[in-house]
Amino acid sequence: MHVISLAGSPRQPSRSSVLLRRSEQWLQQRGVTITAYNLHDFDADDLLYANFNSPQIKALAAELARADGLLIATPVYKAAYSGALKTLLDLLPERALDHKVVLPLATGGSIAHMLAVDYALKPVLAALKAQEVLHGVFADDSQIEMKAQPQPTLVPALALRLEEALESFYQALDRRTPVRTSQLQHIA
Ligand SMILES: Cc1cc2nc3c(=O)[nH]c(=O)nc-3n(C[C@H](O)[C@H](O)[C@H](O)COP(=O)(O)O)c2cc1C
């Protein structure tokens, strides 16, 4: 199984990326191959000026076409997901998530916006034709201790929710509709 991870925070260090790194480790321990991307892998001008010919965007689209699933993480910005992430998603082909299972992860300053993934990000993932978008994981900032050593820690309740979501993701990857070779050729 092959999964793309995409960190949607423009900032580093990043709490939402902590959830992503934890998830990657969990999946790698179960034999899943991860290809990790973050917004800094892309030219800011390409994102801002919608350069559909960006080599990095094309490389991501090609990797996605071959992958089984997507882990996508974002901070909540102004009651939605990050605008920088949107500039990237806008450049993906229309069916970029066809046949993919997607697990969204989000962090926010307060639980007031814990549904931002549901009402803002999920419609975009559906527009990209994701086969299955799982119930995501939201954490508020107090649940991730960034200064812990040697690495940031999650409060136990969050760690448990994340593990449950990853179990579901892993099972969904296992049962997903396999992409046909002819479709891969069409996308490439
Ligand atoms: C520009 C900006 C806007 C934000 N807007 C919200 C918001 O509307 N609701 C919320 O709960 N948190 C908001 N926050 C807090 C972030 O979502 C929160 O700190 C998040 O964990 C940051 O994730 P990151 O470290 O991965 O960037 C905002 C933060 C910034 C910088």
Side-chain angles (χ1 to χ4, degrees), residues 144-154:
I144 303 174
E145 179 46 72
M146 294 298 279
K147 292 195 177 126
Q149 292 299 332
Q151 56 183 7
T153 54
L154 314 186

Side-chain angles (χ1 to χ4, degrees), residues 8-18 73-80 106-114 138-141 144 146:
S9 176
R11 306 181 87 187
Q12 286 176 345
S14 148
R15 281 189 161 83
S16 53
S17 298
V18 169
T74 181
V76 175
Y77 275 7
K78 301 289 186 282
T107 59
S110 92
I111 58 165
H113 292 142
M114 66 184 297
F138 173 88
D140 77 66
D141 286 353
I144 303 174
M146 294 298 279

